[in-house]
Amino acid sequence: MIILTTPNIQGKKVAKYHGIVNGEGLIGANVYKDIFSGVRDVVGGRTSTYEIEIQKAREAAIERMTKKAEELGANAILNVRINYSNLGGTMGNTILISVNGTAVTFDDIDDDKNITTQ
């Protein structure tokens, strides 16, 4: 599956538009992660615990979006956008990562070529 943030592939023509596909991932921060993060912030350094959790949730969201595109018969997803939202309120420190793009089919794309970007 080719995944691009651009609206097209230069020199290639879309054969079929399948529509919008999306995927979501949630991460919830707990007390222990919050404490660890606070200690890291005080002594300096990056809060890698949150970075790793956000990365996992983003990858899960992209995987879900890709699966939906494959089910539609697409071989590419164009104009992909990634959004991050803090749900707050009763959800505590839950962060929602949502991705969406347009599932398309290119007739003249060789999926074996490494032009996939994320």
Side-chain angles (χ1 to χ4, degrees), residues 59-110:
E59 289 170 357
I62 291 170
E63 185 178 315
R64 289 180 185 115
M65 177 185 66
T66 301
K67 184 175 184 212
K68 290 177 182 178
E70 288 171 347
E71 290 171 357
L72 294 172
N75 63 2
I77 306 171
L78 301 178
N79 210 34
V80 171
R81 298 294 177 251
I82 303 173
N83 298 298
Y84 302 85
S85 303
N86 185 343
L87 299 181
T90 58
M91 297 295 289
N93 286 330
T94 302
I95 297 173
L96 169 68
I97 292 106
S98 59
V99 297
N100 61 66
T102 303
V104 300
T105 297
F106 288 96
D107 287 336
D108 58 348
I109 294 292
D110 181 3

Side-chain angles (χ1 to χ4, degrees), residues 16-53:
K16 183 174 182 181
Y17 288 89
H18 299 279
I20 297 171
V21 288
N22 60 11
E24 292 82 25
L26 286 171
I27 63 168
N30 62 35
V31 174
Y32 300 109
K33 286 183 187 175
D34 288 344
I35 291 170
F36 176 72
S37 177
V39 169
R40 293 280 295 186
D41 290 342
V42 170
V43 298
R46 296 169 61 176
T47 311
S48 62
T49 303
Y50 282 120
E51 290 174 358
I52 291 167
E53 293 301 315

Side-chain angles (χ1 to χ4, degrees), residues 1-6 9 62-63 65-66 75-80 115-118:
M1 180 69 61
I2 298 167
I3 301 172
L4 300 170
T5 59
T6 59
I9 298 175
I62 291 170
E63 185 178 315
M65 177 185 66
T66 301
N75 63 2
I77 306 171
L78 301 178
N79 210 34
V80 171
I115 63 169
T116 302
T117 61
Q118 294 182 6

